[in-house]
């Protein structure tokens, strides 16, 4: 069976978003082109890492090009996308690995999100070999979402993704762990709750 690649070059829309209430949110990357919508699930930490790394890579492109690359220093307001995810949100796969690259010739950010794959291995070396084979198997690998973005689209994606990550539960002022609406057992107070 050949690998399924969801290619958006370029997308009409590429955003990070969530479904559910804070504390119980499921995070998604969603690419849209016309009536075609692809949504892949991932962890909050993956969204944050993707957004931060994307900003770092764009900053590096600007630095190396001496400012001549078609990359804005900050997310332009005219390409900002604050709308909700397109519904229904149907998960194609859960993301395992992600990759970023800059195509200097076409001035595009390439984002790849590959499906999570369970690998059977007895040792660390076996696991490393299995991962390497999987990454090199372009025809038969796991499903992949591949999106090509302009510099402005990439900046807007990174800003929204960080906003989505930070829109969750507020942190406890003592321990910085997220506060739940039902209450919070703070390790800094040994679980003691005042007023109870």
């Amino acid at each position: 069976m050949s690998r399924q690649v969801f290619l958006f070059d370029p997308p009409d829309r590429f955003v990070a978003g969530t479904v559910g209430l804070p504390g119980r949110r499921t995070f998604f990357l969603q690419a849209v082109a016309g009536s075609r919508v692809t949504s892949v699930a991932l962890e909050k930490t993956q969204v944050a890492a993707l957004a931060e790394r994307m900003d770092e890579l764009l900053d590096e492109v600007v630095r190396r090009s001496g400012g001549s690359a078609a990359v804005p220093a900050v997310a332009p307001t005219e390409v900002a996308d604050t709308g909700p995810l397109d519904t229904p949100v149907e998960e194609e796969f859960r993301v395992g690995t992600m990759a970023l690259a800059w195509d200097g010739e076409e001035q595009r950010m390439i984002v790849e999100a590959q499906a999570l794959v369970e690998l059977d291995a007895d040792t660390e070396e076996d696991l490393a070999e299995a991962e390497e084979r999987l990454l090199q198997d372009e025809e038969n690998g796991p499903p992949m979402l591949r999106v090509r973005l302009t510099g402005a689209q990439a900046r807007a994606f990174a800003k929204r993704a960080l906003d989505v990550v930070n829109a969750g539960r507020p942190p406890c002022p003592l321990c910085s762990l997220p506060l739940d609406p039902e209450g919070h057992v703070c390790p800094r107070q040994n679980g003691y709750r005042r007023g109870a």
Side-chain angles (χ1 to χ4, degrees), residues 111-179:
V111 181
E112 291 182 350
Q114 186 170 279
L116 181 66
V117 176
E118 298 293 327
L119 299 174
D120 291 329
D122 295 328
T123 66
E124 291 273 332
E125 292 162 356
D126 291 344
L127 183 60
E129 285 178 28
E131 287 175 343
E132 187 63 30
R133 279 194 311 272
L134 191 62
L135 290 173
Q136 291 178 354
D137 192 355
E138 192 63 33
E139 289 183 19
N140 300 311
M144 176 191 296
L145 170 64
R146 182 178 291 146
V147 182
R148 295 174 58 84
L149 305 168
T150 64
Q153 287 174 317
R155 282 284 190 209
F157 170 86
K159 180 183 181 327
R160 175 188 167 125
L162 289 173
D163 290 347
V164 165
V165 167
N166 294 326
R169 298 171 288 171
C172 171
L174 298 175
C175 69
S176 299
L177 291 174
L179 292 171

